[in-house]
Amino acid sequence: MTHPTYAQLEDRVRHCTACELTGRGYALQRFKGNGKVLIVGEAPGKKEAETGVPFVGRSGKTLDMWLEYMGLREYTVTNIVKHRPPQNHTPTPSQVEACLPVLDREISQLMPSALILVGKTPVRILGIGYWRMKGDLLFGKSVAGILSYNGIPVFCLPHPAYLIRQGYEKKIPDYLKELLSLYAGRIKRL
Ligand code: SF4
């Protein structure tokens, strides 16, 4: 079952011509429950654009394993940029600028209690000052939940593709388990 606002979002994105990615494949949202935590990646890849669903490939399965470990019962997964950039390139600043109002609209419709940003790029794109930190600090306990976007607490996770390259496709390294548990505890209290 999709969120009641999904059809409005799809209509907006399907007809959007605000940047040169218009007309390419796109991915919107996927849900568990009513989506009180919003998980935000960068942009859809090939599989996502084919299916219209964010994080459905190998990275998506690994991400789901993490979310399950956190015990998150309700969440929505989305991307900052909705249409797929060619060759999976990082969205350009003008594409991001054109698409950010769509994400902001999603946020105001879903009213999430927390954002979980996946990978460093969304942290940079959303202008959260800490993105210059090394990954082990950004994805570490010291900044967990002290970052925010438009007043919503932000939590940062490394990109699953990075962990898959390290051999952690089907298991979670201990340091990440600790982080996921910490995030889960803090998000539960929001
Ligand atoms: S990527 Fe975003 S701004 Fe660009 S056409 Fe698609 S919905 Fe519009």
Side-chain angles (χ1 to χ4, degrees):
M1 197 179 90
T2 57
H3 193 275
T5 60
Y6 182 90
Q8 293 167 21
L9 178 74
E10 180 162 44
D11 191 55
R12 178 171 178 168
V13 168
R14 190 194 295 272
H15 298 107
C16 182
T17 55
C19 84
E20 64 272 24
L21 298 177
T22 182
R24 297 179 57 78
Y26 61 84
L28 298 178
Q29 300 170 334
R30 70 177 163 96
F31 302 88
K32 185 171 180 200
N34 254 338
K36 279 308 180 190
V37 174
L38 186 60
I39 295 149
V40 185
E42 177 185 312
K46 186 167 184 285
K47 194 152 189 184
E48 284 75 17
E50 280 167 6
T51 57
V53 184
F55 277 104
V56 285
R58 286 173 68 197
S59 287
K61 288 195 171 60
T62 299
L63 177 66
D64 286 352
M65 178 176 70
W66 300 352
L67 299 176
E68 196 171 324
Y69 186 85
M70 290 175 76
L72 275 188
R73 294 197 203 299
E74 301 208 6
Y75 58 81
T76 303
V77 183
T78 192
N79 281 306
I80 290 178
V81 167
K82 309 305 182 199
H83 282 91
R84 183 187 176 213
Q87 285 88 45
N88 292 340
H89 74 59
T90 301
T92 65
S94 65
Q95 289 162 356
V96 168
E97 195 185 339
C99 214
L100 261 186
V102 184
L103 179 71
D104 285 335
R105 180 75 186 275
E106 283 177 282
I107 290 174
S108 61
Q109 285 177 329
L110 296 167
M111 292 193 292
S113 55
L115 301 181
I116 299 179
L117 306 186
V118 182
K120 237 179 169 180
T121 308
V123 186
R124 174 173 58 78
I125 285 176
L126 294 183
I128 293 167
Y130 285 74
W131 70 270
R132 288 176 197 280
M133 278 184 165
K134 285 197 158 140
D136 51 354
L137 282 175
L138 184 62
F139 310 124
K141 295 180 200 172
S142 54
V143 297
I146 66 164
L147 308 178
S148 70
Y149 177 71
N150 291 348
I152 304 167
V154 164
F155 299 82
C156 305
L157 285 175
H159 199 285
Y162 173 74
L163 272 292
I164 289 172
R165 285 198 295 276
Q166 316 254 319
Y168 290 106
E169 182 163 4
K170 299 217 165 99
K171 57 182 177 173
I172 309 175
D174 289 343
Y175 78 88
L176 189 56
K177 281 184 179 172
E178 261 184 59
L179 191 65
L180 295 171
S181 299
L182 179 83
Y183 285 7
R186 294 202 177 160
I187 288 172
K188 211 177 278 175
R189 290 200 294 275
L190 291 172

